[in-house]
Amino acid sequence: MFSRRQLLTFSLRSMIAMVALSGTAFWFIRRRWSRTQRQAQLVDEIQGLGGIVGYAHEWDDVAKRGTGRPNTGPVLLRQVLGDHFFLTPTLIMFDESNISIDDLPAINELSFITHLDFSRCPNIDDKIVDVIVQMPHLKVVCLYGTPVSLTALRRLTCLPELQTLHVAHTLLDEESAAELTAEFHEGVVSWNDDPLITTSSIFASLEDGG
């Protein structure tokens, strides 16, 4: 049998542990909520500029196809915490847009972006690379039809997960194109004349999950 003192001590320790656990959980939720509020703001700004945002739940990496799934968060919690608490943006796409780097919000703050597409954006130049190198999870970068140079594109070798760099119709000539290809792993640099050959095009056809 436990003495009264032992029971009180046990109860006090349990209460302290529960308070600490509750405080940690609240801190985590509050921190994530604050981050996703910023995420929602950035997504709104991107879409306001005519950009498309795709989300992780919309794409099956194994099957390499869209899932067609809506936002996976519980309806009640989405009403309390907001849709973006349960959304992970993985794609940003601008196509035939006149935006410049100065127009863009801080897209590098969206830390889970894996696909970035600026197809046929004539005002997106070498300065975009300053942003791209801050996005280490990028797998596909499409700069089709943009005035980016060999010097800038070389800097993208720092992206550890890059699988496709689409650079047709940039400032590269035949010689500089060969130089760039040699600096990346085989198959990374793509010269396909169709900008929609990248995986990001599939996201563009999906319904916005936000």
Side-chain angles (χ1 to χ4, degrees):
M1 294 292 293
F2 290 105
S3 67
R4 180 180 177 82
R5 181 177 180 180
Q6 287 174 317
L7 289 173
L8 288 173
T9 301
F10 178 78
S11 298
L12 180 60
R13 287 176 178 173
S14 298
M15 183 177 68
I16 292 173
M18 287 297 297
V19 169
L21 184 61
S22 299
T24 301
F26 176 80
W27 174 85
F28 173 80
I29 292 172
R30 172 64 181 174
R31 182 171 179 268
R32 180 173 173 80
W33 181 84
S34 296
R35 191 178 76 242
T36 56
Q37 291 303 294
R38 173 59 173 162
Q39 172 180 297
Q41 177 188 356
L42 290 169
V43 168
D44 284 345
E45 291 178 15
I46 291 167
Q47 293 174 334
L49 291 168
I52 294 171
V53 178
Y55 299 92
H57 70 274
E58 298 173 332
W59 179 252
D60 186 334
D61 275 328
V62 176
K64 300 297 181 185
R65 61 178 175 80
T67 64
R69 294 186 313 190
N71 189 340
T72 55
V75 175
L76 179 60
L77 290 180
R78 286 169 57 190
Q79 291 174 347
V80 174
L81 299 171
D83 284 340
H84 276 270
F85 193 88
F86 303 95
L87 289 172
T88 302
T90 54
L91 170 128
I92 298 171
M93 181 178 182
F94 287 90
D95 187 23
E96 294 185 330
S97 171
N98 288 320
I99 60 163
S100 70
I101 184 64
D102 296 327
D103 299 323
L104 287 175
I107 61 174
N108 55 291
E109 292 184 26
L110 298 174
S111 57
F112 293 102
I113 295 295
T114 58
H115 291 61
L116 186 63
D117 193 333
F118 289 100
S119 296
R120 294 168 291 206
C121 296
N123 297 321
I124 293 296
D125 55 21
D126 285 357
K127 290 187 289 185
I128 192 62
V129 174
D130 293 331
V131 177
I132 294 176
V133 295
Q134 299 178 57
M135 305 172 75
H137 297 298
L138 283 171
K139 296 180 180 179
V140 175
V141 176
C142 183
L143 296 171
Y144 177 100
T146 61
V148 291
S149 68
L150 174 63
T151 300
L153 291 170
R154 276 176 166 159
R155 295 176 58 197
L156 300 184
T157 56
C158 71
L159 297 176
E161 300 180 29
L162 188 63
Q163 298 173 5
T164 301
L165 174 60
H166 197 69
V167 290
H169 297 284
T170 57
L171 296 182
L172 276 63
D173 56 23
E174 187 175 342
E175 181 180 351
S176 57
E179 289 183 39
L180 183 67
T181 300
E183 296 199 24
F184 287 86
H185 293 298
E186 183 178 357
V188 171
V189 178
S190 169
W191 304 98
N192 192 293
D193 199 45
D194 182 0
L196 299 184
I197 200 67
T198 62
T199 313
S200 60
S201 64
I202 300 175
F203 280 93
S205 66
L206 297 177
E207 183 179 355
D208 183 0

